[in-house]
Amino acid sequence: QVQLVQSGAEVRKPGASVKVSCKASGYTFSSYHMHWVRQAPGQGLEWMGIIKSSGTTTIYAHSFQGRVTMTRDTSTSTVYMELSSLRSEDTAVYYCAREGVATFYFDYWGQGTLVTVSS
Amino acid sequence: QSALTQPASVSGSPGQSITISCTGTSSDVGGYNYVSWYQHHPGKAPKLMIYGVSSRPSGVSNRFSGSKSGNTASLTISGLQAEDEADYYCTSYTSSFTYVFGTGTKVTVL
């Protein structure tokens, strides 16, 4: 069965960086894109970006450009999302979500990773 | 890219039907048939309920249906049940090759 298992909760100080992982299993990793979505406390879902199945193409939401980097490691079927220059507003639950190539929807989601930014 | 507009809350009694709207622009909802809907219970991962405007994944109840007219997509839940109480989000592919979520709607079963 398809599973996306994310790394555990993180606490960072303002200005630091965080790297969240999402390990995939139960399907052909190289055949699917991966997205990252976050939800700040009391807020809605926010799309952050996509790393395509090729691993060489990324598209980021304008609001995160310059601060976010998404990578994937085919050897371990793991996708990473690194967010830098953290501020308190980045406190949120971060989700990875799978997309079948050219399907334009997210069919499986990770369990979420809470990132807390606090001095 | 501005979030798609959804009503903050919608409520209904068990057995009733409710509809949640999702309004965007011709650069997202109106320009593509790539609107999907997600059910989100707090503390859990979102669940895909509708994709491609009106298609339902296997395992999702046929009480959930989707449609679109112009720049507005809609999710209808018929035969409302207590377990349907959750937050619902629409999302759309955009002309910038990105995605945008709706503002979210809290569904309450009275």
Side-chain angles (χ1 to χ4, degrees):
Chain A
Q1 72 284 19
V2 174
Q3 283 193 304
L4 301 176
V5 180
Q6 298 183 221
S7 49
E10 304 271 12
V11 179
R12 293 287 186 275
K13 293 188 184 302
S17 298
V18 68
K19 192 171 187 176
V20 179
S21 68
C22 170
K23 184 172 177 58
S25 62
Y27 69 96
T28 302
F29 180 70
S30 58
S31 296
Y32 290 80
H33 304 325
M34 198 72 79
H35 297 254
W36 288 89
V37 175
R38 77 176 186 181
Q39 183 177 40
Q43 304 298 309
L45 298 176
E46 181 180 19
W47 185 80
M48 298 181 68
I50 176 178
I51 180 164
K52 296 204 172 183
S53 57
S54 65
T56 57
T57 299
T58 53
I59 301 172
Y60 303 132
H62 180 75
S63 54
F64 295 101
Q65 283 181 4
R67 285 207 304 142
V68 70
T69 303
M70 296 177 188
T71 56
R72 57 196 287 156
D73 182 343
T74 303
S75 67
T76 59
S77 299
T78 302
V79 176
Y80 299 91
M81 185 284 298
E82 184 170 22
L83 189 61
S84 61
S85 302
L86 290 168
R87 34 206 188 230
S88 59
E89 309 89 89
D90 294 317
T91 293
V93 176
Y94 291 77
Y95 295 98
C96 57
R98 189 187 82 160
E99 178 202 344
V101 175
T103 58
F104 303 97
Y105 59 87
F106 319 132
D107 58 356
Y108 285 91
W109 295 63
Q111 83 277 18
T113 296
L114 175 62
V115 174
T116 303
V117 183
S118 174
S119 54
Chain B
Q1 185 77 46
S2 298
L4 307 176
T5 301
Q6 298 180 230
S9 62
V10 174
S11 61
S13 299
Q16 287 188 326
S17 292
I18 61 169
T19 296
I20 302 167
S21 60
C22 169
T23 301
T25 69
S26 58
S27 295
D28 39 65
V29 174
Y32 305 91
N33 287 325
Y34 298 140
V35 175
S36 51
W37 290 89
Y38 302 85
Q39 178 189 67
H40 191 202
H41 288 103
K44 300 186 72 176
K47 177 185 177 183
L48 175 67
M49 306 303 285
I50 294 288
Y51 66 93
V53 174
S54 59
S55 297
R56 205 170 38 250
S58 61
V60 171
S61 170
N62 59 9
R63 297 185 298 104
F64 291 83
S65 61
S67 62
K68 189 184 86 167
S69 177
N71 295 337
T72 298
S74 298
L75 174 71
T76 297
I77 308 174
S78 58
L80 199 62
Q81 298 180 1
E83 69 210 47
D84 300 332
E85 191 161 289
D87 297 323
Y88 290 82
Y89 293 89
C90 60
T91 190
S92 175
Y93 182 69
T94 83
S95 59
S96 301
F97 310 107
T98 61
Y99 291 76
V100 60
F101 277 94
T103 49
T105 299
K106 182 176 181 60
V107 169
T108 301
V109 181
L110 301 171

